[in-house]
Amino acid sequence: MTEPTIINLPKILDRRGNLSFFEYPGQLPFEIARTYWIYDVPGGEIRGSHAFKEQQEFIIALSGSFDVVLHDGKKGERFSLNRSYHGLYIPRMYWRSMENFSTNSLALIISDKQYDENDYIRNFEEFKKQKNNV
Ligand code: TYD
């Protein structure tokens, strides 16, 4: 998978409530190395303006809503996440920002790599240079 993709997750519905899940290789295109979550984001804040050289991610709005804005070096695309059974797959080398967090939103982020600051590109011009040279 080389394009950003919304992946629909299974939904098991019964009168006790709903259950969704993901696993590798069933729903996820990569093996999980790390999970983190972002919460209590003050209104108007923007998170995660960076790209990853190698890391792939999968993002779910477990609660509430927010937008993930992706840029491929040439154009941007906005994905509004507001369902706990929709996940956004993000390949390596996409600039990504997260914004418009609703009150009490909870962003779950799954990664195929352990945390490594050296994998981040935090400068947009540097990102475009590297991306467009590929
Ligand atoms: P950062 O990735 O910049 O957050 P965001 O993408 O939401 O803007 O990370 C913020 C801080 O948290 C930074 O100092 C690194 C630290 N951090 C870890 O220690 N481990 C992790 O898995 C993550 C994602 C961040």
Side-chain angles (χ1 to χ4, degrees):
M1 218 179 273
T2 54
E3 295 292 316
T5 311
I6 294 282
I7 296 175
N8 284 318
L9 301 174
K11 258 199 300 187
I12 318 271
L13 311 181
D14 68 36
R15 59 174 178 77
R16 301 167 302 162
N18 304 341
L19 182 153
S20 289
F21 64 89
F22 55 83
E23 58 188 12
Y24 171 82
Q27 291 74 32
L28 271 190
F30 57 76
E31 276 191 76
I32 301 167
R34 180 166 53 114
T35 303
Y36 62 98
W37 47 100
I38 294 174
Y39 52 99
D40 288 349
V41 178
E45 282 294 339
I46 297 180
R47 304 247 1 168
S49 296
H50 47 62
F52 295 109
K53 294 176 208 164
E54 297 299 336
Q55 182 179 284
Q56 308 167 68
E57 293 183 313
F58 184 62
I59 301 183
I60 304 177
L62 275 190
S63 176
S65 62
F66 51 85
D67 293 346
V68 181
V69 183
L70 298 182
H71 202 287
D72 66 2
K74 295 199 164 67
K75 59 177 178 3
E77 189 174 3
R78 179 178 297 266
F79 295 85
S80 295
L81 298 183
N82 55 12
R83 294 282 181 262
S84 60
Y85 49 87
H86 286 166
L88 174 63
Y89 167 69
I90 307 177
R92 60 182 284 275
M93 285 301 277
Y94 274 79
W95 186 266
R96 72 131 166 100
S97 300
M98 297 167 69
E99 56 191 50
N100 285 337
F101 286 89
S102 69
T103 305
N104 289 331
S105 57
L106 171 59
L108 182 71
I109 299 150
I110 314 301
S111 165
D112 70 333
K113 301 271 188 296
Q114 292 186 319
Y115 175 72
D116 176 8
E117 182 58 37
N118 293 322
D119 195 45
Y120 282 69
I121 305 173
R122 292 191 182 273
N123 179 295
F124 187 57
E125 293 308 314
E126 177 59 27
F127 162 71
K128 279 199 290 191
K129 207 159 70 184
Q130 290 198 28
K131 177 87 176 184
N132 292 323
N133 278 342
V134 171

